[in-house]
Amino acid sequence: MDLSTLTEYLPLYAQAAWLTLWVGVAGIALSFVIGVLCAAVRHFRIPVLRNVAGVYVELSRNTPLVVQLFFLYFGLPKLGILISSEQCAVIGLAFLGGSYMAEALRSGLEAVESIQTQSALALGLNPVQTLRHVVLPQAVAISVPALAANVVFLLKETSVVSIVALPDLVYVAKDLIGNDYNTVEALALLVGFYLVLLLPLSLLFAWLERRLRADGRRAKSRAPKTLGSWAVKEAAHA
Amino acid sequence: MHDWEVLFQGVNFERLLGGLWTSFSIALVAVLFSLVVGVPLGIAAASRNRWLRGGFQVYLQAIRVLPPLVLLFVFYFYLSLVTKVNLSAYASAITVFTLWGAAEMGDLVRGAVTSIPKHQYESAAALGLNPVQVQLRIVVPQSVRRLLPQAVNLVTRMIKTTSLVVLIGVVEVLKVGQQIIDVNRFEYPSAALWVYAAVFFMYFAVCYSISKAAAVLERRLA
Amino acid sequence: MSDTPQVLRLPKSQPVLRLDSVVKRYGERTVLDGISFDVAEREVIAVIGPSGSGKSTLLRTVNGLEPIQGGSIRLDGEEITAKGTDWSKIRARVGMVFQSYELFPHLDVMGNLLLAPVRVAHTDKAEARERAMRWLERVGLADRADAYPKELSGGQKQRIAIVRALMMQPEVLLLDEITASLDPEMVREVLDVVLELAEEGMTMLIVTHEMAFARAIADRVLFLDGGKIVEQGEPEAFFTHPQTERAQRFLDTFSFTKAREPQGLAR
C-alpha cells in the first residue's frame, strides 16, 4: 500500500463520505416521517389510508433498493417526472426506509398492552391524552432498538446510490480502480471510510440495545405471573 | 403510449426472465452454501465454549458492519489482484453472499437453539433421556420450528441483496433491461419506464410470495 | 386526623349505582344475561363466582370499558349507558383497580398518581402532590414516591394502583381481582388498605377469589354464574348456608375436606 497515494485520495473520499452521509441523513429523516404516518394510519385503522399504507409497505419491503432506484431514476422521467440524482437517492432511500420505520413503530405500538390503555381510560383520561401520556412514551421506548437498527441498515443501503450517478464512496472507489489501478489503496479507503461512518453507530446502538434489554429482563423477572401462588418470588424491597 | 409492448417484443420477456434467473441462481446457490456452513456455525456459536461463541461474534459483526456492496467490491477487485486469478463476478458474488448468508444463518440458528428454555433440557433429562435423545427429540424439533420461518425470510433478503451484482458487472435482469432499452431507444422512447416497472414487479412477485410463505409457516408452527 | 385524606362522602338518598337488566354479548355468546342490582352509598358488594361467569365483564361495563347490548346503568340517577355519554367524565368519577396493577412503567410513582388529577381534573399540581403524599403515608409508601414501578414489589404496586384511583376522589371504586397476581404473603398488605377504605365508607364493587376477604368486608355478596345473579345475600348467611345448589358446589371447591374420602386419588 502506498501512503502517498492514500493521502492523495483522501480528500476525494472525504467529499464522497460527506455526500453519503448527507444523502443518508436526509433519506433516514424522511423515512422516519413516512414511518410515523404509516404506523399511525395502520394502528388507528383509518379507512382507505391504511390500505394504501399496507400496499406501500409490502411493495417497499419486497423489492431491492437498486431496483427501486432504477425505476425512479430511469423510468419516471419518461412520465415527465424529472428529478436530480440527489433527490432520487433521497427519495429512494425514504421509499425503502419508510416501511422499515413504520413496522418498527407499529410493533412498538402493538407491544403496549391494551390493558394499559384501559387503565388510563379508567382514570378518566380521554383517548388523545391516553395516547399522548401513556401509549406513545412506552411505544417509542420499545421501538428504539428497532429504529436504531434501521438507521444503520439504511446508512449501509446508501452504498448503492452510485447507480444514479452520485459520486459517493463506492463511485469514487470504482473510478480510482478503473482509472489508476490503485486497487489496494482505493479499497482500503473505501472500507476505512465506511468503518468510520458505521462502526461508532453500530457500537452505540448495540450498547443501547443491550442496556434496554437488560432493563426489560430485570423488570420482567420482578413481575409475578398471573397465577397467584405460582408467582415468581420477588425481591421484597428493591 | 403503447411502449409497454416492448416487453413482449421478440424474446425480450424471456431475456428479462433469464436475467432474473442469473441473480436468483446466485441467491439460491449462496443460500444452499449458507445453510451448509451456517447451521454448524450456529450450533457452535450456541455452545458453552466461550472461544467458539466469541469467534462467531467477531465473524458476524465483521460481516455486518460493512455494507454487502463493499464486501462485494473488496472480494471482486482485491482477490483478482492478489491471486492473479481473475475471479469472475459471478463467483465473487457467490463467495461474498455465502460469507454473508452463513453469518446471518448462523445467527438465526444460534438464536433458535439458545431460545429453548433450560427447563426443557432439565425436564427431558429428568425423564431419563440421554443427551443425544435430548438433542434429537427435544432441542432439534423445537429449534427447527422457530428457525424455519426466519430462514425463509433470509431467502428473500438474499434475493434482494443479490440485486447488487449489477454493480460489479454481472449481466442480470437490470443489465438485460438496459440492453433492451438501448436497442429500442427510437422505436419505444419510454421503454425504460415499462422495463424497470416490470423488473420491479418481478422482484415483488417473487419476494412477496416467499414472505407470505414465511408468514404462513410462522403461524402454523407457532 | 383532619389532615389525613378521607374518602369523599356525599349526602345521597338514591343508590350510587343502579344496574337494570344489563345484557352483554360477544357475538353469539351472552356473557351478562340481565343483571340487575343497586349499590347504595357506603355499601361494599363482593362479586364472586366461577371463572367465566362474567364477574370482570360486569365491572368493566360500569365504566364503559365494555359497551352493553341491553339494559341500563345509572350513576347517581343519571343514565350513563345512554348514547352520547362522555365516558371520560364518568370514569373520572368511578375508580378502577386491575388485577395486573397496570401502573404506567415510564412514570415514577408520583407521576402515576398525578397524571389523572392534573390532566383530567385540572387540580393544582402542588395541591395534588400534597394529597398524593398523604395517601402514600397512609398506605406506608411515602418513601417510594420517586421509585419506578419496576422497582416495586407486587404488593407495593397494587397499593399504589389503589391510591392512583383514589386520587380522583371517586364516588365508587371497582376492584377487579386485585390480589390474584400477588404472592400470598403480599395479599394481606393490599387487603388491609381495602378494609380501611370500607370502614371509612367507600362505596365499592369488589370482584374477588378471596372468600375469607369477601366474607369479612362485604355488606352483600353477589354470586354470579353463567352471566346471571344466581344468589345474593348477607355474607354470613351466604357462606354458611347458601340457598342454591350451584353456590354450594362453588363454595365446596374452596374446601379440601371432601377430597379426603377413601376413594380419593391415592393408589
Side-chain angles (χ1 to χ4, degrees), chain A residues 58-59 61-64 66-68 70-71 74-76 78-79 95 100 156 159-160 162-163 170 174 177 183-184 187 190-191 194-195 198-199 202, chain B residues 1 64-67 69-70 73-74 77-78 81 156 160 163-164 166-168 174 178 189-190 192-193 196-197 199-201 203-204 207-208 211-212:
Chain A
E58 294 297 352
L59 284 176
R61 288 186 73 101
N62 288 300
T63 45
V66 178
V67 175
Q68 295 168 4
F70 261 75
F71 179 75
F74 300 106
L76 281 191
K78 305 294 175 195
L79 284 175
F95 179 83
Y100 282 82
K156 285 197 273 181
S159 60
V160 305
S162 61
I163 56 167
V170 167
K174 204 171 180 178
I177 293 168
T183 308
V184 180
L187 289 175
L190 176 66
V191 171
Y194 263 110
L195 284 180
L198 292 167
L199 200 55
S202 300
Chain B
M1 277 285 262
R64 269 193 188 161
V65 70
L66 288 172
L69 181 62
V70 173
F73 263 51
V74 170
F77 292 113
Y78 185 68
L81 190 79
T156 46
K160 286 189 287 175
S163 65
L164 296 174
V166 68
L167 281 115
I168 55 167
L174 287 166
Q178 226 165 33
S190 61
L193 177 69
Y196 291 132
V199 174
F200 183 94
F201 283 104
Y203 265 102
F204 176 75
C207 293
Y208 181 75
S211 303
K212 279 289 151 234

Side-chain angles (χ1 to χ4, degrees), chain C residues 220-238:
Chain C
R220 190 147 52 106
V221 174
L222 298 186
F223 174 66
L224 240 65
D225 195 10
K228 290 191 165 116
I229 298 177
V230 175
E231 186 172 342
Q232 58 175 309
E234 300 259 314
E236 277 311 308
F238 175 81

Side-chain angles (χ1 to χ4, degrees), chain B:
Chain B
M1 277 285 262
H2 292 297
D3 284 4
W4 58 268
E5 288 168 358
V6 70
L7 292 175
F8 304 102
Q9 280 295 309
V11 290
N12 284 353
F13 202 72
E14 286 92 320
R15 285 186 63 205
L16 281 177
L17 287 179
L20 201 62
W21 173 246
T22 304
S23 25
F24 284 5
S25 67
I26 295 174
L28 286 182
V29 174
V31 163
L32 221 65
F33 286 169
S34 298
L35 269 174
V36 174
V37 183
V39 171
L41 217 55
I43 291 169
S47 81
R48 261 178 239 150
N49 185 320
R50 54 189 304 185
W51 290 103
L52 286 177
R53 281 204 323 246
F56 176 74
Q57 280 307 321
V58 170
Y59 168 57
L60 177 68
Q61 299 309 334
I63 294 284
R64 269 193 188 161
V65 70
L66 288 172
L69 181 62
V70 173
L71 295 176
L72 201 55
F73 263 51
V74 170
F75 256 79
Y76 180 59
F77 292 113
Y78 185 68
L79 275 194
S80 60
L81 190 79
V82 282
T83 58
K84 305 283 176 213
V85 183
N86 211 341
L87 200 59
S88 76
Y90 191 86
S92 326
I94 287 177
T95 315
V96 167
F97 291 124
T98 300
L99 285 173
W100 179 80
E104 295 291 345
M105 192 66 195
D107 197 41
L108 294 182
V109 171
R110 185 198 57 78
V113 173
T114 51
S115 75
I116 294 166
K118 213 173 109 200
H119 294 137
Q120 287 286 316
Y121 290 88
E122 289 171 353
S123 53
L127 286 170
L129 273 65
N130 67 41
V132 176
Q133 288 172 316
V134 172
Q135 288 297 328
L136 230 54
R137 309 256 163 221
I138 310 295
V139 180
V140 171
Q142 293 190 55
S143 306
V144 168
R145 289 171 89 82
R146 205 187 138 98
L147 183 64
L148 216 54
Q150 296 174 325
V152 174
N153 266 327
L154 184 63
V155 176
T156 46
R157 283 174 67 197
M158 184 70 87
I159 288 175
K160 286 189 287 175
T161 314
T162 49
S163 65
L164 296 174
V165 297
V166 68
L167 281 115
I168 55 167
V170 174
V171 182
E172 44 65 82
V173 64
L174 287 166
K175 208 78 193 165
V176 171
Q178 226 165 33
Q179 292 166 356
I180 292 174
I181 293 160
D182 283 342
V183 170
N184 297 284
R185 176 129 296 161
F186 299 105
E187 207 179 336
Y188 300 104
S190 61
L193 177 69
W194 299 105
V195 168
Y196 291 132
V199 174
F200 183 94
F201 283 104
M202 284 173 176
Y203 265 102
F204 176 75
V206 173
C207 293
Y208 181 75
S209 315
I210 300 176
S211 303
K212 279 289 151 234
V216 169
L217 267 178
E218 193 158 7
R219 237 175 299 129
R220 289 255 178 91
L221 298 179

Side-chain angles (χ1 to χ4, degrees), chain A residues 38-45 50 57 101-117 131 134-144 146, chain C residues 102:
Chain A
C38 284
V41 299
R42 294 187 88 185
H43 185 73
F44 298 108
R45 300 171 200 283
R50 64 182 286 217
V57 166
M101 295 297 187
E103 293 297 278
L105 289 167
R106 200 163 70 112
S107 61
L109 281 169
E110 273 166 15
V112 180
E113 290 178 45
S114 66
I115 189 150
Q116 276 276 314
T117 308
L131 184 69
V134 175
V135 178
L136 273 188
Q138 295 184 57
V140 170
I142 295 168
S143 306
V144 162
Chain C
E102 300 308 324

Side-chain angles (χ1 to χ4, degrees), chain C residues 12-30:
Chain C
K12 252 175 280 172
S13 50
Q14 60 192 352
V16 177
L17 268 179
R18 165 164 285 176
L19 279 77
D20 187 18
S21 322
V22 169
V23 174
K24 167 77 203 174
R25 285 192 206 94
Y26 290 116
E28 293 290 288
R29 210 160 54 86
T30 304

